[in-house]
Amino acid sequence: MATIEAVAPRQYVRGPRRGPITRLLEDERWLATCLMLPTIVLLGLFIAYPFVKGIMLSVTDTTVGVPGKFVGFANFVTTIFKLALGLWLALLLNRHFKGKAFMRAFILLPFIIPTVLSTFAWKWMFDPTFSVLNYVLWHLGIIHGRINWLGDPVLAMISVIIVNVWRGVPFYAISLLAGLQTISPELHEAAAIDGARAWARFRHVTWPLLLPVTLVIVLFSVIQTFADFQLVYVLTGGGPANATQLFATYAYQLGIGTGLLSQGAAISLAIFPILLLVVIVQLVYIRRAETL
C-alpha cells in the first residue's frame, strides 16, 4: 500500500530588505537626476547665478560697496534711442518724395565720416569756451552761463550718448530701410482695405516682418557700442572721474597708461563672455522667430 508522504512546506529565502534610497536608485529617473545633480549645481552656481545677477545689476545704478536703485533701461539708452530714431527715419525714407535718393545718401554721412574726425568736431561743439551749443542756448535765453559739458560726470555721459546715437542712427536707418523694401506693398493695401489704420498696419504687418532684421541690427549695434573705443577716448578719455569709461578705454588706460599689460588684456577679455551670451540669446530668438 502506497504511503503518502507529507510534503513539507517550501521554504523561501528572503533577500536583504531594500531601503528607500535603494528603491530610488533603482528608478532610472531618480538615478539620472542624482547623476546630473553635480552638473546642475555647477551650472547654476557658475553660469545661471552670474547671468541672473548680471541682468539685475544691468538695470540698477549699483556701484562697488553701494547698493543701487532700479533704473530700468537707462543703461541701454543709446541702443534704444538708435533703434527708435533709426526706425523712424527708415519709415520716412521708405516713402515716395522728391529727392529721395539724395536724402538716402545724405543720411549715411555720419556713418561714413571717420570716427576720430567727427568726434573732434563734437568735442569742439561741447567745449565750455568755444561751444556752439552754449552760444545757441545763450542767445535763445535758455542758459545764462557757460556749461562744461565734458567736465561734469552726468553731462559727460549725456554728451557721449548724443554722439553715439548720432553716429549709430544712419546704420539703423539704412538697414531697416532695406528690410522695409522686402515687405510687399500688397500686404499694406490689403490691410488698408480691411479698415486698418496706419498704426495698426505697422503693428500687425510691418513690425512682425521687420523683427528678424531688427534683431540682427541690434545685435551688431550692441557689439559695436561695447567696443566703441575711438569715440569715448577722443571725446572724454573715460573721464571725468571714470564716468564714461568703457571696457575698451579702461583696458587701454590700465594696460598702456600704467604698463599693466596683463591686467589690461584680462579686462579686454572680460567683455567676451558678455558679448557671446548676447549673441547666443539673440540668435536663438531669431531662429525661433523665423520658424514661427
Side-chain angles (χ1 to χ4, degrees):
M1 184 175 182
T3 59
I4 301 176
E5 297 180 357
V7 180
R10 185 175 297 177
Q11 300 291 331
Y12 292 93
V13 180
R14 293 185 177 181
R17 298 185 61 182
R18 296 181 302 168
I21 297 179
T22 305
R23 289 196 299 268
L24 288 177
L25 293 178
E26 290 179 352
D27 190 339
E28 294 182 357
R29 294 174 299 178
W30 284 102
L31 179 60
T33 303
C34 293
L35 294 176
M36 293 183 62
L37 186 60
T39 305
I40 295 174
V41 172
L42 291 176
L43 291 176
L45 185 62
F46 295 106
I47 296 180
Y49 174 75
F51 173 67
V52 175
K53 189 65 176 180
I55 294 177
M56 294 174 62
L57 289 175
S58 67
V59 293
T60 63
D61 57 355
T62 304
T63 56
V64 177
V66 180
K69 298 179 296 184
F70 179 76
V71 295
F73 290 100
N75 296 327
F76 305 90
V77 64
T78 57
T79 301
I80 296 174
F81 281 151
K82 285 187 287 188
L83 176 59
L85 294 176
L87 181 58
W88 174 66
L89 283 176
L91 292 173
L92 291 180
L93 294 175
N94 195 40
R95 297 183 177 182
H96 297 284
F97 57 90
K98 190 176 181 180
K100 178 176 63 175
F102 172 78
M103 290 302 299
R104 289 181 176 179
F106 182 77
I107 200 65
L108 276 175
L109 194 61
F111 190 71
I112 62 178
I113 295 178
T115 306
V116 176
L117 179 61
S118 60
T119 307
F120 269 123
W122 276 100
K123 189 172 184 178
W124 169 77
M125 294 173 63
F126 288 127
D127 186 87
T129 304
F130 306 102
S131 173
V132 65
L133 295 177
N134 285 345
Y135 178 81
V136 172
L137 295 176
W138 182 77
H139 277 276
L140 293 176
I142 299 176
I143 62 175
H144 302 284
R146 297 175 181 176
I147 298 178
N148 190 4
W149 293 94
L150 302 179
D152 181 85
V154 177
L155 294 178
M157 178 59 71
I158 294 176
S159 303
V160 171
I161 290 174
I162 291 174
V163 180
N164 185 266
V165 170
W166 172 82
R167 180 168 175 77
V169 162
F171 172 71
Y172 273 85
I174 296 301
S175 301
L176 292 174
L177 177 62
L180 290 173
Q181 296 291 312
T182 63
I183 300 176
S184 175
E186 298 178 356
L187 298 176
H188 291 278
E189 295 174 359
I193 293 175
D194 292 337
R197 298 182 179 272
W199 170 249
R201 294 198 300 270
F202 171 79
R203 180 181 177 184
H204 298 288
V205 178
T206 305
W207 181 245
L209 297 175
L210 199 61
L211 184 58
V213 178
T214 304
L215 292 176
V216 174
I217 297 171
V218 170
L219 173 62
F220 281 108
S221 177
V222 169
I223 296 175
Q224 183 183 12
T225 304
F226 263 107
D228 203 352
F229 171 82
Q230 301 177 68
L231 190 151
V232 177
Y233 182 76
V234 173
L235 196 63
T236 64
N242 294 325
T244 59
Q245 204 76 269
L246 299 177
F247 273 102
T249 55
Y250 184 59
Y252 177 84
Q253 178 182 335
L254 195 64
I256 305 300
T258 64
L260 301 175
L261 296 178
S262 59
Q263 295 186 17
I267 293 173
S268 300
L269 189 61
I271 196 176
F272 174 74
I274 301 174
L275 295 179
L276 180 62
L277 184 61
V278 172
V279 170
I280 292 175
V281 171
Q282 287 201 312
L283 289 180
V284 170
Y285 188 83
I286 292 171
R287 178 170 295 182
R288 289 182 178 178
E290 291 177 348
T291 55
L292 292 178

